[in-house]
Amino acid sequence: MGNPMSAVEDNVRSSAEQVPPRDYPRPVTAAPLRSVEGRMMRKLLAVLGDPPIEFVLWTGESITGTHPEVVSRIRIGSRTTLLGLMRDPQVRFGDAYSNGTITIEGDLVALLEEIYRAGRRGS
């Protein structure tokens, strides 16, 4: 008698050869999804009137508006700081800046002027 394992292998091999290869759809390559925090910052930028500023989260994620150049960069140190900004940006920004959980790269006065101008355009 022949080797029973050889017969099984031959059967598996021949059935695998009979199955036509499938063309699986290729994944669509899209822009990478932002984190929840990144999406929140995009909302905040929209509420502020899309000023030419960049937010950098504690994770390193960078969020900018539609402007090609930014006037200032705002680094947010923690999720707690971000949630405070989302709740009341007018009050919490100053608090976070004072206690160091937000840092500004660039001119603070120019940043505030751009936010003011963008808010006026958005009104």
Side-chain angles (χ1 to χ4, degrees), residues 4-119:
M5 195 54 136
S6 176
V8 170
E9 289 173 347
D10 289 339
N11 189 19
V12 169
R13 191 175 310 123
S14 65
S15 64
E17 291 169 357
Q18 294 172 3
V19 176
R22 295 181 67 186
D23 290 330
Y24 291 101
R26 294 179 186 224
V28 176
T29 55
L33 295 175
R34 292 200 184 280
S35 66
V36 171
E37 293 87 357
R39 290 191 302 259
M40 289 170 64
M41 292 312 303
R42 285 291 310 137
K43 295 271 188 192
L44 181 59
L45 274 172
V47 167
L48 293 173
D50 194 28
I53 60 175
E54 176 183 15
F55 287 101
V56 179
L57 301 180
W58 63 96
T59 61
E61 184 175 359
S62 173
I63 301 95
T64 58
T66 58
H67 301 280
E69 293 186 25
V70 296
V71 173
S72 293
R73 180 172 292 120
I74 301 172
R75 293 191 177 273
I76 300 173
S78 69
R79 178 175 290 192
T80 304
T81 302
L82 173 63
L83 294 175
L85 279 175
M86 296 304 292
R87 193 169 41 246
D88 188 0
Q90 293 177 341
V91 172
R92 299 298 177 129
F93 179 82
D95 292 345
Y97 182 74
S98 295
N99 68 25
T101 56
I102 284 183
T103 57
I104 307 298
E105 292 178 11
D107 186 2
L108 176 61
V109 174
L111 167 70
L112 296 174
E113 287 174 346
E114 287 297 333
I115 291 173
Y116 177 76
R117 281 189 203 112

